[in-house]
Amino acid sequence: MSSLRRNSLEELLVGAKQLSVLDPDRSKLKPFVILVALWASLGGLIFGFQLTGSGGTFVMEGFKEQFGWICPESDSQCTPLSESEIETERSLISALMTIGATFGALINPRFVEKWGRVSNLRQGNIVFILGAAICSASSTIEVLYAGRFISGLGIGMLALCVPVYIGEVSPATYRGALTTLWQFGVTLGMLTGQGANIGLAKVEWGWRLSYGANIIFAIMFLVGLFTFLPESPRYIAAKISSRVAAEDVEQPLVTELLAKHESKLRSTMKKLRYEQDVDHSVENIQKEVQEDIERGDATWREVFSTEKKMLYRVLLGISIQAFNQLSGNEAINFYSPTILESMFGSKSIFMSFILGIINFVAVCVGILLVDRVGRIPLFLVGGVTMLISQICNAIYQSYSNPSDTVDTLFFASLAIFSFAYHSTWGPLAWDICSEMFPLRERAKAVGLTTMSNFLFNTVVAASFSFTIEASPSGSFAFFCAAIFLNLTLVYLFLPETAHKTSLEIDRAFSEHKPKLCRGRRD
């Protein structure tokens, strides 16, 4: 019977052995693929809105009165919380969302592989809607904490699955630019949250919409997932082929499963590719899947094995995401209203909105550059710019009584840092981590790198409000050290992954050797 299954799989992959001489998937980009990627980027928009929308509530009068940070003028008996208590609550509100996201990213690989990308995205949106609704309706700080954790679970699920999903529906030539739409969504969400906060700050209950308004975007995402967004072709090929390989079934049923596989895969691929590219794309996917199916499902031991340099890749991906968070971007995004309040007073929310506009423009620039320039050159140029900006920020923050000129220079330096980050490191970290792993190990490995992102995001969110009070200059000096380490890591150990298929990326990692002078294509 095993021979029968093997023969059937060989029929499924007729001509696959000749694929080594075929070109990889250089298909033309179909408008429907752009629509799919844009709609999937709503997951990033949800994440971005949650970051800046909730961060802006810390300076809203209605929010501070609701949770006892300040007292209403009409209540003479009220005693507000102390500064240390406020700092603790602010840190917990910030951290619990990212703690939830860390758990979401950790547990999600199993569901991604079992139920598919589209089903998993539906689940992530539903979990997020539940958490955001609890936050919006909360009347006590404990209920707000619970809502933040639950909404974080949903965001972690989306953050793991969306970049992988976009990468798997995209032709290799355009994969980088389209996967960058995740960061585009995050930045657009941040801008939307910052813009909404300008008006919501004037309304006593406006803070509730800062936490709950992006439920609208989650519902929009769900509508697309239940109507027109297709399942990932790679998931279809892997799931049905693995059933044929694993199950002890009779030849008629094997043939039926193969026919079902071929029909569903080609039907999906016809939506995503032009007619002349369908056969070539299907053959490429089948070859990649077949190599993985022959080895069976990936175990955690294989994810951490030295075969195919998996341990090397996993540690590299975890480190890239960790140092991305330790560069200071998320601290600036979340706490910018608080940081800027001492400089611009009541205009701090508006100045945060200006940063949001800069970030949005930067992501658009990154989308244009990521596949033209390549991952490594863009990462290095962005990192050097970020490092110089954060060195300047550390110097500016060393002034005990800064003048208006120093405040203006500090804001300009923040803007330059934000532009550099959102046009390079922000999208590149997700691009690289979504494409650097083999298909079999991808879900588990990307889960680990996404968990790393949110884990270190949690560290920054929980500690920054304390460290900026203790040593503003030291906080930014720490960010400088993290940026330098990440630059060194990527320069020495990461091969170029742009425009490569999964098999080509495998070869790139196996052949890559760290060297001080590397070529552009290394």
Side-chain angles (χ1 to χ4, degrees), residues 116-144:
R117 294 17 172 180
V118 169
S119 294
N120 185 255
L121 290 172
R122 292 172 185 166
Q123 296 160 1
N125 275 283
I126 291 170
V127 171
F128 171 77
I129 289 171
L130 174 63
I134 292 173
C135 287
S136 184
S138 60
S139 57
T140 65
I141 197 69
E142 291 78 15
V143 174
L144 180 61

PDB file of all heavy atoms in Angstrom, residues 116-144:
ATOM      1  N   GLY A 116      -5.522  25.885   8.496  1.00  0.00           N
ATOM      2  CA  GLY A 116      -5.263  26.727   7.347  1.00  0.00           C
ATOM      3  C   GLY A 116      -5.156  28.198   7.709  1.00  0.00           C
ATOM      4  O   GLY A 116      -5.539  28.628   8.799  1.00  0.00           O
ATOM      5  N   ARG A 117      -4.628  28.977   6.741  1.00  0.00           N
ATOM      6  CA  ARG A 117      -4.379  30.396   6.998  1.00  0.00           C
ATOM      7  C   ARG A 117      -5.682  31.179   7.154  1.00  0.00           C
ATOM      8  O   ARG A 117      -5.827  31.994   8.066  1.00  0.00           O
ATOM      9  CB  ARG A 117      -3.567  31.004   5.865  1.00  0.00           C
ATOM     10  CG  ARG A 117      -2.134  30.578   5.606  1.00  0.00           C
ATOM     11  CD  ARG A 117      -1.631  29.336   6.188  1.00  0.00           C
ATOM     12  NE  ARG A 117      -0.303  28.989   5.672  1.00  0.00           N
ATOM     13  CZ  ARG A 117       0.351  27.920   6.045  1.00  0.00           C
ATOM     14  NH1 ARG A 117      -0.161  27.088   6.937  1.00  0.00           N
ATOM     15  NH2 ARG A 117       1.545  27.653   5.546  1.00  0.00           N
ATOM     16  N   VAL A 118      -6.641  30.957   6.263  1.00  0.00           N
ATOM     17  CA  VAL A 118      -7.877  31.743   6.282  1.00  0.00           C
ATOM     18  C   VAL A 118      -8.684  31.474   7.552  1.00  0.00           C
ATOM     19  O   VAL A 118      -9.149  32.408   8.217  1.00  0.00           O
ATOM     20  CB  VAL A 118      -8.722  31.455   5.022  1.00  0.00           C
ATOM     21  CG1 VAL A 118     -10.117  32.049   5.147  1.00  0.00           C
ATOM     22  CG2 VAL A 118      -8.026  32.024   3.786  1.00  0.00           C
ATOM     23  N   SER A 119      -8.845  30.214   7.912  1.00  0.00           N
ATOM     24  CA  SER A 119      -9.577  29.881   9.143  1.00  0.00           C
ATOM     25  C   SER A 119      -8.897  30.480  10.363  1.00  0.00           C
ATOM     26  O   SER A 119      -9.556  30.980  11.284  1.00  0.00           O
ATOM     27  CB  SER A 119      -9.691  28.360   9.298  1.00  0.00           C
ATOM     28  OG  SER A 119     -10.494  27.810   8.289  1.00  0.00           O
ATOM     29  N   ASN A 120      -7.572  30.438  10.377  1.00  0.00           N
ATOM     30  CA  ASN A 120      -6.839  30.985  11.512  1.00  0.00           C
ATOM     31  C   ASN A 120      -7.013  32.495  11.621  1.00  0.00           C
ATOM     32  O   ASN A 120      -7.141  33.042  12.729  1.00  0.00           O
ATOM     33  CB  ASN A 120      -5.362  30.632  11.395  1.00  0.00           C
ATOM     34  CG  ASN A 120      -4.566  31.066  12.601  1.00  0.00           C
ATOM     35  OD1 ASN A 120      -3.829  32.037  12.546  1.00  0.00           O
ATOM     36  ND2 ASN A 120      -4.720  30.357  13.706  1.00  0.00           N
ATOM     37  N   LEU A 121      -7.023  33.176  10.487  1.00  0.00           N
ATOM     38  CA  LEU A 121      -7.234  34.622  10.506  1.00  0.00           C
ATOM     39  C   LEU A 121      -8.633  34.961  11.005  1.00  0.00           C
ATOM     40  O   LEU A 121      -8.830  35.973  11.700  1.00  0.00           O
ATOM     41  CB  LEU A 121      -7.007  35.202   9.109  1.00  0.00           C
ATOM     42  CG  LEU A 121      -5.548  35.188   8.620  1.00  0.00           C
ATOM     43  CD1 LEU A 121      -5.469  35.596   7.153  1.00  0.00           C
ATOM     44  CD2 LEU A 121      -4.685  36.120   9.478  1.00  0.00           C
ATOM     45  N   ARG A 122      -9.607  34.152  10.674  1.00  0.00           N
ATOM     46  CA  ARG A 122     -10.960  34.362  11.213  1.00  0.00           C
ATOM     47  C   ARG A 122     -10.949  34.267  12.735  1.00  0.00           C
ATOM     48  O   ARG A 122     -11.531  35.101  13.438  1.00  0.00           O
ATOM     49  CB  ARG A 122     -11.918  33.316  10.638  1.00  0.00           C
ATOM     50  CG  ARG A 122     -12.208  33.457   9.151  1.00  0.00           C
ATOM     51  CD  ARG A 122     -12.998  32.246   8.658  1.00  0.00           C
ATOM     52  NE  ARG A 122     -13.209  32.273   7.218  1.00  0.00           N
ATOM     53  CZ  ARG A 122     -13.613  31.236   6.498  1.00  0.00           C
ATOM     54  NH1 ARG A 122     -13.840  30.069   7.109  1.00  0.00           N
ATOM     55  NH2 ARG A 122     -13.787  31.347   5.201  1.00  0.00           N
ATOM     56  N   GLN A 123     -10.284  33.237  13.245  1.00  0.00           N
ATOM     57  CA  GLN A 123     -10.216  33.047  14.700  1.00  0.00           C
ATOM     58  C   GLN A 123      -9.530  34.226  15.381  1.00  0.00           C
ATOM     59  O   GLN A 123      -9.985  34.713  16.420  1.00  0.00           O
ATOM     60  CB  GLN A 123      -9.474  31.742  15.001  1.00  0.00           C
ATOM     61  CG  GLN A 123     -10.171  30.498  14.510  1.00  0.00           C
ATOM     62  CD  GLN A 123      -9.239  29.313  14.368  1.00  0.00           C
ATOM     63  OE1 GLN A 123      -8.048  29.392  14.658  1.00  0.00           O
ATOM     64  NE2 GLN A 123      -9.768  28.185  13.895  1.00  0.00           N
ATOM     65  N   GLY A 124      -8.415  34.687  14.783  1.00  0.00           N
ATOM     66  CA  GLY A 124      -7.691  35.811  15.371  1.00  0.00           C
ATOM     67  C   GLY A 124      -8.530  37.065  15.440  1.00  0.00           C
ATOM     68  O   GLY A 124      -8.505  37.802  16.446  1.00  0.00           O
ATOM     69  N   ASN A 125      -9.314  37.342  14.398  1.00  0.00           N
ATOM     70  CA  ASN A 125     -10.178  38.521  14.398  1.00  0.00           C
ATOM     71  C   ASN A 125     -11.269  38.429  15.453  1.00  0.00           C
ATOM     72  O   ASN A 125     -11.577  39.416  16.124  1.00  0.00           O
ATOM     73  CB  ASN A 125     -10.810  38.698  13.014  1.00  0.00           C
ATOM     74  CG  ASN A 125      -9.921  39.456  12.057  1.00  0.00           C
ATOM     75  OD1 ASN A 125      -9.810  40.671  12.125  1.00  0.00           O
ATOM     76  ND2 ASN A 125      -9.278  38.733  11.158  1.00  0.00           N
ATOM     77  N   ILE A 126     -11.850  37.249  15.604  1.00  0.00           N
ATOM     78  CA  ILE A 126     -12.923  37.079  16.597  1.00  0.00           C
ATOM     79  C   ILE A 126     -12.386  37.273  18.009  1.00  0.00           C
ATOM     80  O   ILE A 126     -13.013  37.945  18.851  1.00  0.00           O
ATOM     81  CB  ILE A 126     -13.571  35.694  16.429  1.00  0.00           C
ATOM     82  CG1 ILE A 126     -14.353  35.652  15.102  1.00  0.00           C
ATOM     83  CG2 ILE A 126     -14.501  35.391  17.596  1.00  0.00           C
ATOM     84  CD1 ILE A 126     -14.827  34.269  14.712  1.00  0.00           C
ATOM     85  N   VAL A 127     -11.216  36.707  18.286  1.00  0.00           N
ATOM     86  CA  VAL A 127     -10.608  36.886  19.616  1.00  0.00           C
ATOM     87  C   VAL A 127     -10.317  38.368  19.859  1.00  0.00           C
ATOM     88  O   VAL A 127     -10.581  38.896  20.951  1.00  0.00           O
ATOM     89  CB  VAL A 127      -9.311  36.053  19.737  1.00  0.00           C
ATOM     90  CG1 VAL A 127      -8.568  36.397  21.027  1.00  0.00           C
ATOM     91  CG2 VAL A 127      -9.637  34.565  19.700  1.00  0.00           C
ATOM     92  N   PHE A 128      -9.777  39.056  18.842  1.00  0.00           N
ATOM     93  CA  PHE A 128      -9.483  40.476  19.011  1.00  0.00           C
ATOM     94  C   PHE A 128     -10.751  41.277  19.285  1.00  0.00           C
ATOM     95  O   PHE A 128     -10.759  42.154  20.162  1.00  0.00           O
ATOM     96  CB  PHE A 128      -8.789  41.052  17.782  1.00  0.00           C
ATOM     97  CG  PHE A 128      -8.682  42.548  17.851  1.00  0.00           C
ATOM     98  CD1 PHE A 128      -7.733  43.151  18.649  1.00  0.00           C
ATOM     99  CD2 PHE A 128      -9.583  43.357  17.165  1.00  0.00           C
ATOM    100  CE1 PHE A 128      -7.671  44.534  18.771  1.00  0.00           C
ATOM    101  CE2 PHE A 128      -9.527  44.732  17.274  1.00  0.00           C
ATOM    102  CZ  PHE A 128      -8.570  45.323  18.072  1.00  0.00           C
ATOM    103  N   ILE A 129     -11.810  41.023  18.539  1.00  0.00           N
ATOM    104  CA  ILE A 129     -13.071  41.762  18.731  1.00  0.00           C
ATOM    105  C   ILE A 129     -13.562  41.612  20.167  1.00  0.00           C
ATOM    106  O   ILE A 129     -14.000  42.588  20.793  1.00  0.00           O
ATOM    107  CB  ILE A 129     -14.131  41.279  17.725  1.00  0.00           C
ATOM    108  CG1 ILE A 129     -13.766  41.743  16.304  1.00  0.00           C
ATOM    109  CG2 ILE A 129     -15.523  41.783  18.109  1.00  0.00           C
ATOM    110  CD1 ILE A 129     -14.633  41.142  15.219  1.00  0.00           C
ATOM    111  N   LEU A 130     -13.484  40.404  20.704  1.00  0.00           N
ATOM    112  CA  LEU A 130     -13.903  40.174  22.092  1.00  0.00           C
ATOM    113  C   LEU A 130     -13.079  41.024  23.053  1.00  0.00           C
ATOM    114  O   LEU A 130     -13.627  41.709  23.935  1.00  0.00           O
ATOM    115  CB  LEU A 130     -13.755  38.686  22.428  1.00  0.00           C
ATOM    116  CG  LEU A 130     -14.027  38.298  23.890  1.00  0.00           C
ATOM    117  CD1 LEU A 130     -15.474  38.605  24.262  1.00  0.00           C
ATOM    118  CD2 LEU A 130     -13.720  36.815  24.120  1.00  0.00           C
ATOM    119  N   GLY A 131     -11.760  41.009  22.896  1.00  0.00           N
ATOM    120  CA  GLY A 131     -10.894  41.769  23.802  1.00  0.00           C
ATOM    121  C   GLY A 131     -11.091  43.264  23.683  1.00  0.00           C
ATOM    122  O   GLY A 131     -11.146  43.978  24.702  1.00  0.00           O
ATOM    123  N   ALA A 132     -11.202  43.774  22.449  1.00  0.00           N
ATOM    124  CA  ALA A 132     -11.385  45.214  22.249  1.00  0.00           C
ATOM    125  C   ALA A 132     -12.716  45.683  22.816  1.00  0.00           C
ATOM    126  O   ALA A 132     -12.818  46.794  23.363  1.00  0.00           O
ATOM    127  CB  ALA A 132     -11.291  45.547  20.765  1.00  0.00           C
ATOM    128  N   ALA A 133     -13.754  44.845  22.705  1.00  0.00           N
ATOM    129  CA  ALA A 133     -15.062  45.206  23.256  1.00  0.00           C
ATOM    130  C   ALA A 133     -14.995  45.308  24.783  1.00  0.00           C
ATOM    131  O   ALA A 133     -15.601  46.210  25.388  1.00  0.00           O
ATOM    132  CB  ALA A 133     -16.106  44.175  22.828  1.00  0.00           C
ATOM    133  N   ILE A 134     -14.254  44.386  25.406  1.00  0.00           N
ATOM    134  CA  ILE A 134     -14.096  44.438  26.872  1.00  0.00           C
ATOM    135  C   ILE A 134     -13.366  45.714  27.275  1.00  0.00           C
ATOM    136  O   ILE A 134     -13.766  46.391  28.236  1.00  0.00           O
ATOM    137  CB  ILE A 134     -13.339  43.185  27.360  1.00  0.00           C
ATOM    138  CG1 ILE A 134     -14.203  41.945  27.167  1.00  0.00           C
ATOM    139  CG2 ILE A 134     -12.942  43.344  28.825  1.00  0.00           C
ATOM    140  CD1 ILE A 134     -13.478  40.641  27.469  1.00  0.00           C
ATOM    141  N   CYS A 135     -12.297  46.074  26.552  1.00  0.00           N
ATOM    142  CA  CYS A 135     -11.554  47.307  26.852  1.00  0.00           C
ATOM    143  C   CYS A 135     -12.472  48.528  26.744  1.00  0.00           C
ATOM    144  O   CYS A 135     -12.480  49.401  27.618  1.00  0.00           O
ATOM    145  CB  CYS A 135     -10.388  47.473  25.885  1.00  0.00           C
ATOM    146  SG  CYS A 135      -9.006  46.348  26.146  1.00  0.00           S
ATOM    147  N   SER A 136     -13.235  48.575  25.674  1.00  0.00           N
ATOM    148  CA  SER A 136     -14.079  49.741  25.421  1.00  0.00           C
ATOM    149  C   SER A 136     -15.164  49.901  26.470  1.00  0.00           C
ATOM    150  O   SER A 136     -15.541  51.028  26.807  1.00  0.00           O
ATOM    151  CB  SER A 136     -14.710  49.608  24.029  1.00  0.00           C
ATOM    152  OG  SER A 136     -15.453  50.747  23.697  1.00  0.00           O
ATOM    153  N   ALA A 137     -15.647  48.789  26.999  1.00  0.00           N
ATOM    154  CA  ALA A 137     -16.744  48.837  27.967  1.00  0.00           C
ATOM    155  C   ALA A 137     -16.265  48.855  29.414  1.00  0.00           C
ATOM    156  O   ALA A 137     -17.085  48.924  30.330  1.00  0.00           O
ATOM    157  CB  ALA A 137     -17.669  47.640  27.753  1.00  0.00           C
ATOM    158  N   SER A 138     -14.962  48.803  29.645  1.00  0.00           N
ATOM    159  CA  SER A 138     -14.436  48.633  30.997  1.00  0.00           C
ATOM    160  C   SER A 138     -14.744  49.834  31.889  1.00  0.00           C
ATOM    161  O   SER A 138     -14.709  50.983  31.456  1.00  0.00           O
ATOM    162  CB  SER A 138     -12.926  48.394  30.954  1.00  0.00           C
ATOM    163  OG  SER A 138     -12.265  49.489  30.355  1.00  0.00           O
ATOM    164  N   SER A 139     -15.055  49.535  33.134  1.00  0.00           N
ATOM    165  CA  SER A 139     -15.287  50.584  34.127  1.00  0.00           C
ATOM    166  C   SER A 139     -14.277  50.521  35.266  1.00  0.00           C
ATOM    167  O   SER A 139     -14.186  51.441  36.071  1.00  0.00           O
ATOM    168  CB  SER A 139     -16.706  50.455  34.698  1.00  0.00           C
ATOM    169  OG  SER A 139     -16.905  49.165  35.254  1.00  0.00           O
ATOM    170  N   THR A 140     -13.510  49.427  35.344  1.00  0.00           N
ATOM    171  CA  THR A 140     -12.457  49.296  36.346  1.00  0.00           C
ATOM    172  C   THR A 140     -11.151  48.930  35.643  1.00  0.00           C
ATOM    173  O   THR A 140     -11.159  48.384  34.533  1.00  0.00           O
ATOM    174  CB  THR A 140     -12.786  48.214  37.393  1.00  0.00           C
ATOM    175  OG1 THR A 140     -12.814  46.930  36.738  1.00  0.00           O
ATOM    176  CG2 THR A 140     -14.146  48.478  38.036  1.00  0.00           C
ATOM    177  N   ILE A 141     -10.058  49.199  36.300  1.00  0.00           N
ATOM    178  CA  ILE A 141      -8.758  48.941  35.695  1.00  0.00           C
ATOM    179  C   ILE A 141      -8.534  47.444  35.496  1.00  0.00           C
ATOM    180  O   ILE A 141      -7.879  47.021  34.529  1.00  0.00           O
ATOM    181  CB  ILE A 141      -7.623  49.557  36.561  1.00  0.00           C
ATOM    182  CG1 ILE A 141      -6.322  49.668  35.748  1.00  0.00           C
ATOM    183  CG2 ILE A 141      -7.419  48.758  37.831  1.00  0.00           C
ATOM    184  CD1 ILE A 141      -6.366  50.682  34.651  1.00  0.00           C
ATOM    185  N   GLU A 142      -9.111  46.601  36.369  1.00  0.00           N
ATOM    186  CA  GLU A 142      -8.937  45.157  36.241  1.00  0.00           C
ATOM    187  C   GLU A 142      -9.614  44.632  34.968  1.00  0.00           C
ATOM    188  O   GLU A 142      -9.069  43.760  34.279  1.00  0.00           O
ATOM    189  CB  GLU A 142      -9.501  44.443  37.471  1.00  0.00           C
ATOM    190  CG  GLU A 142      -8.729  44.658  38.749  1.00  0.00           C
ATOM    191  CD  GLU A 142      -9.014  46.016  39.398  1.00  0.00           C
ATOM    192  OE1 GLU A 142     -10.015  46.664  39.010  1.00  0.00           O
ATOM    193  OE2 GLU A 142      -8.238  46.423  40.292  1.00  0.00           O
ATOM    194  N   VAL A 143     -10.787  45.162  34.648  1.00  0.00           N
ATOM    195  CA  VAL A 143     -11.480  44.751  33.421  1.00  0.00           C
ATOM    196  C   VAL A 143     -10.684  45.209  32.203  1.00  0.00           C
ATOM    197  O   VAL A 143     -10.559  44.480  31.212  1.00  0.00           O
ATOM    198  CB  VAL A 143     -12.908  45.328  33.386  1.00  0.00           C
ATOM    199  CG1 VAL A 143     -13.585  45.021  32.046  1.00  0.00           C
ATOM    200  CG2 VAL A 143     -13.741  44.760  34.532  1.00  0.00           C
ATOM    201  N   LEU A 144     -10.121  46.405  32.262  1.00  0.00           N
ATOM    202  CA  LEU A 144      -9.296  46.903  31.167  1.00  0.00           C
ATOM    203  C   LEU A 144      -8.081  46.000  30.964  1.00  0.00           C
ATOM    204  O   LEU A 144      -7.708  45.675  29.823  1.00  0.00           O
ATOM    205  CB  LEU A 144      -8.847  48.336  31.449  1.00  0.00           C
ATOM    206  CG  LEU A 144      -7.972  48.993  30.369  1.00  0.00           C
ATOM    207  CD1 LEU A 144      -8.713  49.079  29.040  1.00  0.00           C
ATOM    208  CD2 LEU A 144      -7.525  50.385  30.820  1.00  0.00           C
TER     209      LEU A 144
END
